[in-house]
Amino acid sequence: MTHLSQQIYSIWAEYWPHITLILSLAISIPTAIHAAMNKSEVRAAIGWVGVILLSPYAGSILYLIAGINRVRKTQIASQITPNPKEQIRYNASPISQLSDDFAPHFQSLKILGDDISRFQLRGGNHVQLLKGGDETYPAMLEAIEGATQSIALQSYIFDNDRLGLEFVEALERAQQRGVQIRVLIDAIGVQYSRRPIHHLLRKKGIPCALFLSISLLPISFLKRPYANLRSHRKLLIIDGLTAFAGGMNIREGFYSKYTPNPAQDTHFCLRGPIAAQLMTAFANDWQFTTKEELGNEFWRQDYSDAPLPQVPARCIRSGPDSFIASTHSMLLGALAVAQHHIRIQSPYFLPDQVLLGALNTAARRGVRVDIVIPKQNNLQLVSRAMMAQIDLVIAAGAHVWLATGSFNHSKLLTIDDQWSYVGSSNMDPRSLRLNFELDIEIYCRATAAKIGHAIDQEIQTADALTLKELQSYPFKKRLLNRIIWLASPYL
């Protein structure tokens, strides 16, 4: 050991507590200030500041990785100038005033949507509800087989299973016909399969990208710390004309062809201007991920082939970017205007205190509130967190139903049998703040009736959850539920 090394060691041995304290303050204080100045929610700010100060080194590193929303800053910077793709040419003007078929209070909800979404509410749409994989997957595969120009496919999970291979083979055949294809899969969701399916897609020459892909190298990871952010969007757009959107991933566990008693979900087939809006959302995600700007072959818009019902609809994007509060605001607006009946079906029902307050207020002013959640959830931690706060809505007068039978992954909301909100968003913190989601608001009594009927069918065989039952849980179970509930923003 050299003389210099001995001096350094001697100083460290004598003053290491002081050095450690000074370093921890030098690291934790600026980090805590950053958290306090940049977190918009007081609970998030308090939580991060507490973690950083109580564990200066580990807490600061965790905040640098998971606490800073670099995606939002990047997206805001890129949206200072409106994206020219958003200027879509339509055959008809947007809807400025709802027809007399809708109750007057829905006009205020339409105005809210005008402010929140960059897309205008437009008629001329056809909306078809697809129940489960048995209706959805064959329809999607048939549409891929009929594609002549372009296919855009986006999914959170695209499993490398028997169903996934059917989709890969259909995409390969389409590519051989000269169809332009782009496939976008979330970098976390693709890992549900071993081996991930994007390797097979690339091997077959099908253009495929991973949304927010993460390098395991420390320097790269710090530059792109997106581990807690995910694209939860599920889209298939054929020739720019026909779109499929909703809650369904590509998994054989939702298809009776491969799985006895499969899990359930709800998806939608859409035609009309809404397809162009969904294609815009896909193109923006693709360009964000790959830097490739999709050409005109993805932007065919010709709705004159067949007359469509004048169903008003529009796309609502949300995510940890400049659209961070979109779905949260739409839900608050919808709950505020409800006069008669609110129906909600969600596999992961963890609304924040603001949404809970809106639901409770609706129930207390006489609106019928029905909430359907699974009795047997596929995510036990989420299920326990749900049980830790579900008593609040029951106490306010809402009706909570535990759906029996197969696990149902549907995300559905209807207001007064006139307005529907469907898509990929769950009513939980992850969907409302961390995930990139894609939803659709639909002004249509017939669509709301179909969705309402599907929810009512679940209620017919469901078990009512009561305060008495919740209070009968053993103390250890209730305590564990509350502890897990504390981590609900990251479940």
Side-chain angles (χ1 to χ4, degrees), residues 1 5 17-18 21 33 50 63 80 85 105 120 153 205 251 266 268 275 282 287 302 314 324 326 386 406 467 491:
M1 182 179 294
S5 300
H18 308 82
L21 176 61
I33 291 173
Y63 177 74
I80 292 175
K85 290 196 187 74
H105 55 272
Q120 296 171 310
L153 174 61
R251 314 193 77 178
T266 307
F268 294 84
F282 175 89
Q287 185 172 1
D302 178 9
R314 92 170 104 210
I324 193 166
S326 297
M386 287 163 57
S406 300
L467 289 176
L491 292 178

Side-chain angles (χ1 to χ4, degrees), residues 79-116:
Q79 291 170 1
I80 292 175
T81 303
N83 191 326
K85 290 196 187 74
E86 306 248 353
Q87 312 304 319
I88 304 170
R89 293 183 180 179
Y90 296 98
N91 294 336
S93 300
I95 295 173
S96 59
Q97 185 78 25
L98 294 175
S99 71
D100 294 338
D101 292 338
F102 298 96
H105 55 272
F106 282 103
Q107 181 64 26
S108 64
L109 188 58
K110 182 262 176 190
I111 295 171
L112 175 65
D114 291 342
D115 183 66
I116 289 172

Side-chain angles (χ1 to χ4, degrees), residues 114-308:
D114 291 342
D115 183 66
I116 289 172
S117 177
R118 296 199 178 191
F119 298 113
Q120 296 171 310
L121 185 69
R122 293 184 177 273
N125 297 290
H126 172 74
V127 179
Q128 179 185 1
L129 186 148
L130 301 171
K131 296 185 67 175
D134 287 4
E135 292 186 7
T136 302
Y137 296 137
M140 292 172 69
L141 289 167
E142 182 180 358
I144 291 173
E145 296 290 359
T148 61
Q149 189 168 339
S150 65
I151 297 172
L153 174 61
Q154 182 172 5
S155 187
Y156 172 56
I157 300 173
F158 189 159
D159 272 346
N160 189 358
D161 56 18
R162 289 169 291 185
L163 176 64
L165 293 179
E166 280 196 56
F167 273 84
V168 172
E169 292 167 0
L171 291 171
E172 185 179 24
R173 288 191 293 270
Q175 183 169 251
Q176 291 170 352
R177 298 194 305 269
V179 177
Q180 293 289 320
I181 300 173
R182 300 294 185 274
V183 178
L184 185 59
I185 312 171
D186 182 73
I188 299 295
V190 78
Q191 300 298 328
Y192 278 70
S193 290
R194 294 294 181 186
R195 184 172 182 215
I197 203 163
H198 67 284
H199 296 298
L200 178 60
L201 288 165
R202 290 171 178 171
K203 181 179 179 181
K204 293 181 177 294
I206 298 172
C208 174
L210 300 183
F211 190 86
L212 297 183
S213 181
I214 302 165
S215 171
L216 296 179
L217 296 176
I219 294 178
S220 299
F221 186 73
L222 287 174
K223 287 182 179 178
R224 302 190 67 188
Y226 303 146
N228 203 35
L229 307 180
R230 303 165 192 175
S231 173
H232 200 234
R233 296 168 177 171
K234 294 99 174 177
L235 277 176
L236 173 64
I237 306 111
I238 305 295
D239 295 336
L241 298 174
T242 301
F244 294 83
M248 295 205 68
N249 295 293
I250 300 174
R251 314 193 77 178
E252 68 176 38
F254 288 78
Y255 196 13
S256 65
K257 179 178 178 180
Y258 297 120
T259 304
N261 194 30
Q264 297 299 310
D265 208 332
T266 307
H267 220 58
F268 294 84
C269 178
L270 307 125
R271 298 182 182 88
I274 188 66
Q277 294 182 0
L278 294 170
M279 186 64 223
T280 300
F282 175 89
N284 287 343
D285 285 352
W286 182 264
Q287 185 172 1
F288 173 81
T289 303
T290 68
K291 311 306 179 188
E292 179 193 11
E293 184 174 343
L294 297 181
N296 291 332
E297 68 273 13
F298 280 88
W299 292 98
R300 175 182 162 197
Q301 297 156 34
D302 178 9
Y303 311 118
S304 61
D305 293 339
L308 296 171

